Amino acid sequence: MRRFVIGSARSLIERSRQNYQFQRPLLSSSYRLLSSTPAVDSPSSSSTMSPPVALNTINPKVIECEYAVRGEIVNLAQKLQEEINTKPDAHPFEEILYCNIGNPQSLGQHPITFFREVLALCDHPTILDKSETQGLFSADSIERAWKILDQIPGRATGAYSHSQGIKGLRDTIAAGIEARDGFPADPNDIFLTDGASPAVHMMMQLLIRSEKDGILCPIPQYPLYSASIALHGGTLVPYYLDEATGWGLEVSELKKQLETSRSMGITVRALVVINPGNPTGQVLAEENQKAIVEFCKQEGLVLLADEVYQENVYVPEKKFHSFKKVSRSMGYGEKDLSLVSFQSVSKGYYGECGKRGGYMEVTGFGADVREQIYKVASVNLCSNISGQILASLVMSPPKVGDESYESYGAERDGILSSLARRAKTLEDAFNKLEGVTCNKAEGAMYLFPRIDLPEKAIKAAEAEKKAPDAYYCQRLLTATGIVVVPGSGFGQVPGTWHFRCTILPQEEKIPAIVTRLTDFHKSFMDEFRG
């Protein structure tokens, strides 16, 4: 196994370095002035002119970038959906079940009432003065809307805000972080973003100078990271999670991959940790987190903590601990560790993916670097205001004594308990399939089962020039309408095959999914057996 890890690390790093060996012009100033020499007209024929944009003339980093969650399988699923819409009996299934992406509300999850009431009132504040509003909205949602509107210049949710986000909302988020962790949080460390993804891109843009700069990423990983590293011209340095120990993160593995990459001339800038894990669903133990913090401190690495699933923990023996809390509990402060923590309104029990809200908390950076981060944020002007409001609500939901507290708690607990049941049902179903093993989903929104495919199936995939797990997922889709993502899109130990399946379809649909999956898998294995 370790030979696979080192060999794969060398291969990935070498490939990444080779892909970016193109000449970059050296400029004598911060930008290049175009020549003022007038162009000479030359006769040309439109029939012989090359198109102004072609694959060989676009940025090669864009070609290198891949995002499997919305890749080939999803494109095929959308095509099948169009065919069903035109001709309902075109396929042996009535609907496409999208188990490929963490998009809860698209699969029937209801939004949290209090959050939506506050958003509605903020977006249409004239109704706050109407008498009917008292009967339609809870008292605490009305009160919260007034408070938020008073923090927005001009009380206009359609206006730009400060580039880091509305100060009052950042105050609320900082207070929420402090309440969660038991350690102070500074609103000036908060950068509100359109979901967590732009925050990740901002940090990659900041850290990566060339292909000589590397980012340690888990394998399997959420493809946002590999895509962002590719787009910004860096090198992904893989560290492998241990499937045999429930997708464990071993510091010895981090050290090995760090040493390997350094020996090849790569300067590793940061470590990405996804907790709870995506696509793997593990929840890190606090002692493990302490070892990771110590590793980053000793090696001088920025710790990029993806904590967007912090509300999604389903096993009583595990709890979420933020890396900020862990590092502060170890006595490390601003001068000891550079830490960036990401949060989003898209996950948890809220599932507000389309509202595009999130933030990063940036600690342990000097004032001069912080100024550069702010400059990058200001280029985008600001994140959307609805997302900013939601981020503040997520970190400051109704409290005991508020009118909405009981209904809010019932909605939250109902969603999370249902997710836990769905995860357990799918986990059990996967483990009953021939040649399939699936670790427990301790958290997040996904299962990542391993599938041992027959040699004939692997040969059939090779004949179609597909990865074996992609071939399996495509066959599953065309036979059942179930959309899952091949493990090859997330990275995996060479010679192993997986797929990622969300636990998000509504609970009443899970038995039908299990039945379809079971029947397909048996048929597939029988087809390629022996």
Side-chain angles (χ1 to χ4, degrees):
M1 171 70 79
R2 295 302 175 194
R3 288 179 183 172
F4 275 131
V5 170
I6 295 171
S8 180
R10 289 184 183 275
S11 174
L12 277 168
I13 293 171
E14 282 300 317
R15 283 205 308 271
S16 184
R17 291 178 68 189
Q18 291 165 6
N19 283 334
Y20 298 112
Q21 293 297 318
F22 53 85
Q23 295 296 314
R24 294 177 177 172
L26 297 175
L27 306 184
S28 58
S29 62
S30 60
Y31 56 89
R32 174 178 291 170
L33 294 174
L34 296 178
S35 169
S36 59
T37 304
V40 178
D41 289 336
S42 59
S44 62
S45 168
S46 60
S47 62
T48 60
M49 285 179 63
S50 298
V53 181
L55 274 180
N56 65 339
T57 63
I58 66 172
N59 187 337
K61 296 171 190 167
V62 174
I63 297 173
E64 175 72 10
C65 161
E66 292 184 0
Y67 188 67
V69 173
R70 294 201 174 199
E72 181 183 359
I73 299 289
V74 179
N75 291 337
L76 175 59
Q78 291 167 345
K79 179 175 178 291
L80 295 178
Q81 184 66 66
E82 290 174 2
E83 292 173 0
I84 291 171
N85 293 343
T86 304
K87 188 180 178 184
D89 60 350
H91 298 282
F93 43 84
E94 296 178 353
E95 63 176 333
I96 301 294
L97 292 167
Y98 287 95
C99 300
N100 62 300
I101 194 168
N103 193 13
Q105 292 186 26
S106 73
L107 293 169
Q109 180 175 308
H110 295 295
I112 299 297
T113 302
F114 174 79
F115 294 172
R116 285 302 185 89
E117 287 189 354
V118 174
L119 277 181
L121 291 166
C122 287
D123 274 338
H124 194 33
T126 56
I127 64 175
L128 282 164
D129 295 322
K130 296 184 181 295
S131 58
E132 307 96 295
T133 302
Q134 307 295 326
L136 294 172
F137 294 84
S138 62
D140 52 335
S141 69
I142 294 171
E143 181 182 355
R144 184 72 68 92
W146 275 120
K147 180 180 178 181
I148 289 171
L149 286 168
D150 286 341
Q151 296 168 343
I152 301 174
R155 293 182 174 176
T157 58
Y160 291 135
S161 76
H162 186 282
S163 292
Q164 280 185 243
I166 295 163
K167 176 61 165 58
L169 300 182
R170 286 187 282 125
D171 289 339
T172 299
I173 291 169
I177 293 171
E178 186 168 337
R180 180 195 68 192
D181 293 344
F183 293 95
D186 185 345
N188 292 318
D189 292 339
I190 307 295
F191 288 76
L192 286 160
T193 52
D194 290 322
S197 298
V200 170
H201 283 299
M202 284 173 64
M203 292 314 302
M204 295 303 174
Q205 196 170 18
L206 181 83
L207 293 170
I208 294 171
R209 298 163 296 184
S210 74
E211 70 276 3
K212 294 285 189 178
D213 284 331
I215 308 293
L216 271 164
C217 285
I219 298 296
Q221 54 97 29
Y222 177 44
L224 164 67
Y225 291 97
S226 55
S228 187
I229 292 167
L231 282 172
H232 292 101
T235 294
L236 186 150
V237 179
Y239 67 88
Y240 284 77
L241 303 177
D242 188 354
E243 187 170 8
T245 60
W247 299 112
L249 196 169
E250 303 293 337
V251 172
S252 59
E253 166 72 359
L254 296 177
K255 290 179 178 177
K256 185 175 294 186
Q257 300 299 347
L258 180 64
E259 291 167 5
T260 299
S261 60
R262 283 176 173 171
S263 71
M264 302 178 71
I266 300 297
T267 301
V268 178
R269 306 298 311 280
L271 167 68
V272 173
V273 180
I274 307 173
N275 180 47
N278 175 12
T280 46
Q282 84 284 8
V283 178
L284 294 177
E286 188 173 8
E287 288 304 311
N288 194 186
Q289 290 181 263
K290 288 179 179 179
I292 293 165
V293 168
E294 191 65 42
F295 169 77
C296 287
K297 181 179 183 297
Q298 294 300 322
E299 299 295 345
L301 302 179
V302 178
L303 177 51
L304 302 176
D306 184 330
E307 298 176 339
V308 303
Y309 297 99
Q310 59 189 258
E311 300 281 0
N312 300 100
V313 179
Y314 307 126
V315 292
E317 65 270 22
K318 291 288 184 75
K319 285 185 65 178
F320 169 78
H321 300 281
S322 76
F323 272 100
K324 168 94 174 295
K325 173 185 174 182
V326 170
S327 63
R328 297 298 182 263
S329 70
M330 296 170 69
Y332 294 147
E334 288 274 346
K335 295 182 179 179
D336 301 304
L337 179 73
S338 295
L339 169 65
V340 183
S341 307
F342 304 105
Q343 168 64 318
S344 171
V345 307
S346 300
K347 310 305 178 186
Y349 55 88
Y350 11 93
E352 294 279 12
C353 302
K355 296 297 184 184
R356 307 312 299 137
Y359 67 82
M360 62 178 177
E361 183 185 17
V362 179
T363 59
F365 290 79
D368 53 347
V369 176
R370 288 284 298 273
E371 186 178 334
Q372 299 304 310
I373 298 173
Y374 176 77
K375 180 175 70 177
V376 173
S378 67
V379 169
N380 295 318
L381 296 176
C382 70
S383 59
N384 80 87
I385 305 303
S386 293
Q388 292 189 35
I389 293 170
L390 266 171
S392 76
L393 296 174
V394 161
M395 297 306 291
S396 181
K399 296 176 175 57
V400 175
D402 292 343
E403 181 182 327
S404 296
Y405 178 74
E406 288 190 9
S407 60
Y408 156 78
E411 290 174 348
R412 176 199 62 203
D413 296 345
I415 290 168
L416 291 173
S417 61
S418 176
L419 286 171
R421 290 191 298 271
R422 286 178 252 176
K424 179 62 175 155
T425 299
L426 286 168
E427 173 198 327
D428 290 344
F430 287 139
N431 281 316
K432 289 176 182 176
L433 300 179
E434 178 187 354
V436 176
T437 55
C438 184
N439 282 326
K440 179 184 291 189
E442 297 177 334
M445 295 178 170
Y446 317 98
L447 292 161
F448 198 65
R450 176 174 174 173
I451 176 169
D452 293 325
L453 293 167
E455 190 61 30
K456 282 186 178 179
I458 294 173
K459 295 292 186 187
E462 290 173 352
E464 295 196 15
K465 297 182 179 179
K466 295 183 184 297
D469 49 9
Y471 178 73
Y472 178 89
C473 293
Q474 183 172 316
R475 289 284 301 268
L476 172 67
L477 169 61
T478 56
T480 68
I482 298 171
V483 189
V484 296
V485 188
S488 46
F490 299 89
Q492 53 200 346
V493 171
T496 67
W497 310 108
H498 302 77
F499 60 86
R500 189 186 79 164
C501 179
T502 73
I503 59 173
L504 295 176
Q506 288 303 289
E507 198 164 357
E508 64 270 15
K509 291 190 175 183
I510 297 294
I513 291 173
V514 169
T515 299
R516 288 195 213 177
L517 239 170
T518 302
D519 291 345
F520 164 78
H521 186 78
K522 182 179 183 305
S523 173
F524 183 90
M525 297 299 279
D526 287 344
E527 179 182 347
F528 293 103
R529 194 185 311 281

